[in-house]
Amino acid sequence: MNSTKTVGMKAFRADILHLLGDPGETLNHETSEQIEFIQDGLLVVKDGLVSEVGPADALINTLPADCEITEYPNQLIIPGMIDTHVHYPQSDMIASYGEQLLTWLETYTFPTENQFSDHAHARDVAGFFLNELLRNGTTTALVFGTVHPESVDAFFEEAQQRNLRMIAGKVLMDRNCPEYLQDTPETAYEDSKKLIEKWHGKDRLLYAVTPRFAPTSSNEQLAKAGQLLEEYPDVYMHTHVAENTDEVAWVRELFPESRSYLDVYHQHKLLKPRSVLAHCIHLDDEDKQCMAETGSAAAFCPTSNLFIGSGLFDYEDLNKHDVRVGLGTDVGGGTSFSLLETSSEAYKVTQMLGKKLSAFQALYLATLSGAKALYLDDKIGNFAVGKEADFAVLDFAGTPLIERRISNCKGLHEKLFSLIMLGDDRAISATYVLGELAHEKHNMVNYW
Ligand code: GUN
Ligand code: ZN
């Protein structure tokens, strides 16, 4: 098993791009203070943390003589990407045909999740899932388990072995789902408490109290979730909200006393800093203001929202309301583990609303904005000195088509935009965790 910290100094030489804040709509990195691009840069890592970042010609002579330097000519180092909403148990049912949310859950999701009472099965899927994230340049994720505590143990065991910064939790659901997947308010509370005590803050792992969505929890269970958050104020809250119009209508019937779907969570004291709500498509202005005021974050999951026909997330509007926003793949409702592909779909959703999403905004969403949504921007999200050195190396020759398109590009924005629109796992040369190699594309035979 790897140790948590990696001792020693090492350096990585390539072009380097990271965000220092929201880049806004600019397409010109040279005039933005929020975009740092270093052509032929050096990222210096000490004991797994960023110790310096800057131009290679200025820094290289300052390194100790025995410092190992890894070079990636004509490639681009970016911070490890952050997936703010994903279900690891749904890896095996990704791309299931023909249903929208409520029938999709009944037909495909619940039967698949039933298998996760088996710890060995859960570990097998968790290992596959984490390797898939690493192949796609994702180094942190906020992850749904299933209702079974074993599913969360299995996930954290695999994440701990890979030294990853991961957040996960046991699903709470005590009604409106098959009996074989139901817990109770009491077991939900007791099982979550045990998992928090066991895993929250262990190495790089963090816990999220995870009510599936309002329809599958009773008022009593949501109250227990609120109690857990009061007892453990620095754990996360992770759920879904306002994804699908039938779901919204159902919540109105189930909770007639609430002003809105979001208000169900607010009334149960579930909205606070470190609360992350996936989808947020059918919210009104009062809801958006409530998200901002409570410090809650929205996960923008475009491949899922298109695939299960849910609707269009309005990034510009949520941003205008000062709501924290991250990107989510939402596998298996989502159809890709790649946050590059997810960004490409985010661009298309934004186009459908008659708005734009630049490549710099997309990279911000996939890195620093995700870190802010998770209140982890003191640890990950860019290469500020002292942050954890999780990063991905993007390959501008990742596929023949990307290489050809890039050869026609002028300027950084056009290059990055083409790579994001055309890229997926094949555009990730390598992924590093705490400065240690965790995935390398060219070690795979007949990879593409
Ligand atoms: N709402 C409740 N459960 C789920 C789920 O598993 N996936 C998605 N996309 N939405 C949900
Ligand atoms: Zn989801």
Side-chain angles (χ1 to χ4, degrees):
M1 199 187 285
N2 296 328
S3 63
T4 305
K5 278 214 161 171
T6 309
V7 180
M9 183 183 273
K10 45 178 86 172
F12 301 88
R13 185 172 186 172
D15 293 344
I16 296 172
L17 176 64
H18 65 146
L19 279 303
L20 307 177
D22 188 340
E25 289 170 13
T26 184
L27 304 186
N28 182 358
H29 68 279
E30 284 166 355
T31 59
S32 170
E33 291 187 350
Q34 309 302 342
I35 305 166
E36 185 170 44
F37 175 63
I38 308 162
Q39 196 157 13
D40 190 16
L42 203 67
L43 174 66
V44 186
V45 176
K46 189 159 188 306
D47 298 338
L49 306 180
V50 174
S51 76
E52 265 184 302
V53 62
D57 58 2
L59 288 180
I60 209 143
N61 295 324
T62 68
L63 297 176
D66 61 349
C67 178
E68 181 193 331
I69 303 174
T70 307
E71 301 198 351
Y72 289 103
N74 299 319
Q75 302 200 36
L76 182 69
I77 292 180
I78 61 165
M81 289 183 275
I82 299 171
D83 187 340
T84 59
H85 177 69
V86 61
H87 302 248
Y88 97 81
Q90 296 177 14
S91 300
D92 287 346
M93 50 147 292
I94 188 170
S96 293
Y97 175 73
E99 302 298 334
Q100 296 213 346
L101 179 63
L102 300 176
T103 45
W104 175 84
L105 285 170
E106 271 172 33
T107 312
Y108 301 116
T109 314
F110 293 149
T112 302
E113 292 193 4
N114 189 27
Q115 300 169 60
F116 286 74
S117 58
D118 176 356
H119 182 264
H121 175 75
R123 264 201 89 149
D124 176 52
V125 178
F128 172 84
F129 169 88
L130 290 168
N131 290 346
E132 200 60 21
L133 293 192
L134 291 170
R135 285 190 339 95
N136 282 285
T138 299
T139 49
T140 288
L142 172 58
V143 183
F144 260 65
T146 64
V147 72
H148 316 96
E150 298 85 341
S151 73
V152 177
D153 280 329
F155 178 79
F156 279 141
E157 285 156 12
E158 291 290 325
Q160 189 177 38
Q161 267 195 1
R162 290 166 178 77
N163 268 338
L164 287 165
R165 184 163 283 293
M166 287 284 155
I167 313 166
K170 178 203 116 64
V171 169
L172 317 181
M173 48 183 182
D174 65 349
R175 64 169 178 170
N176 293 323
C177 61
E179 217 165 292
Y180 59 76
L181 280 181
Q182 279 180 27
D183 58 6
T184 68
E186 291 70 32
T187 60
Y189 174 83
E190 290 302 332
D191 288 345
S192 300
K193 199 174 172 72
K194 276 188 212 143
L195 289 165
I196 293 169
E197 296 283 348
K198 184 169 176 186
W199 293 109
H200 185 65
K202 191 163 190 184
D203 296 336
R204 303 181 78 198
L205 307 173
L206 297 162
Y207 195 82
V209 173
T210 309
R212 174 166 223 119
F213 67 156
T216 46
S217 285
S218 62
N219 275 305
E220 294 70 38
Q221 185 168 69
L222 293 174
K224 286 286 187 192
Q227 190 183 332
L228 282 166
L229 297 177
E230 207 169 282
E231 289 172 20
Y232 298 95
D234 63 343
V235 304
Y236 289 79
M237 198 287 294
H238 188 195
T239 192
H240 299 90
V241 73
E243 177 176 6
N244 164 289
T245 49
D246 290 345
E247 171 209 21
V248 173
W250 192 22
V251 170
R252 201 175 298 125
E253 278 170 32
L254 290 168
F255 298 92
E257 67 286 4
S258 295
R259 191 198 71 80
S260 67
Y261 187 164
L262 185 79
D263 190 45
V264 174
Y265 299 133
H266 196 33
Q267 287 184 331
H268 288 92
K269 301 191 167 55
L270 300 184
L271 302 183
K272 56 164 200 89
R274 296 187 186 78
S275 295
V276 180
L277 297 100
H279 309 305
C280 297
I281 294 171
H282 309 286
L283 297 183
D284 62 18
D285 280 353
E286 202 170 320
D287 289 330
K288 288 169 198 168
Q289 203 178 326
C290 174
M291 294 274 298
E293 281 171 6
T294 55
S296 304
F300 178 9
C301 305
T303 80
S304 168
N305 298 159
L306 297 173
F307 182 72
I308 51 182
S310 303
L312 306 175
F313 178 96
D314 192 338
Y315 172 58
E316 187 197 74
D317 191 43
L318 277 130
N319 212 10
K320 213 185 285 167
H321 279 85
D322 287 327
V323 178
R324 291 168 188 249
V325 181
L327 265 188
T329 62
D330 194 26
V331 165
T335 47
S336 172
F337 282 91
S338 165
L339 283 169
L340 297 178
E341 254 189 300
T342 303
S343 298
S344 168
E345 298 306 292
Y347 174 80
K348 295 169 199 169
V349 163
T350 308
Q351 280 280 49
M352 288 301 293
L353 295 168
K355 301 177 181 184
K356 292 185 179 140
L357 184 77
S358 76
F360 297 127
Q361 285 174 307
L363 184 64
Y364 175 63
L365 271 173
T367 57
L368 185 60
S369 188
K372 286 176 187 282
L374 301 178
Y375 289 79
L376 287 174
D377 49 311
D378 59 332
K379 295 189 171 60
I380 54 173
N382 66 13
F383 298 129
V385 169
K387 287 200 189 181
E388 296 166 353
D390 293 345
F391 58 93
V393 185
L394 298 185
D395 184 359
F396 284 110
T399 69
L401 178 62
I402 294 174
E403 187 173 21
R404 193 174 179 95
R405 178 65 181 89
I406 297 289
S407 72
N408 293 315
C409 285
K410 293 172 224 63
L412 180 63
H413 184 267
E414 192 180 346
K415 246 175 115 169
L416 185 65
F417 183 74
S418 308
L419 181 111
I420 290 174
M421 292 306 114
L422 302 173
D424 51 30
D425 53 324
R426 295 167 297 176
I428 306 294
S429 294
T431 306
Y432 284 81
V433 174
L434 294 176
E436 292 287 312
L437 186 65
H439 160 71
E440 191 171 33
K441 177 176 143 182
H442 290 299
N443 277 343
M444 294 195 180
V445 180
N446 293 332
Y447 182 56
W448 51 269

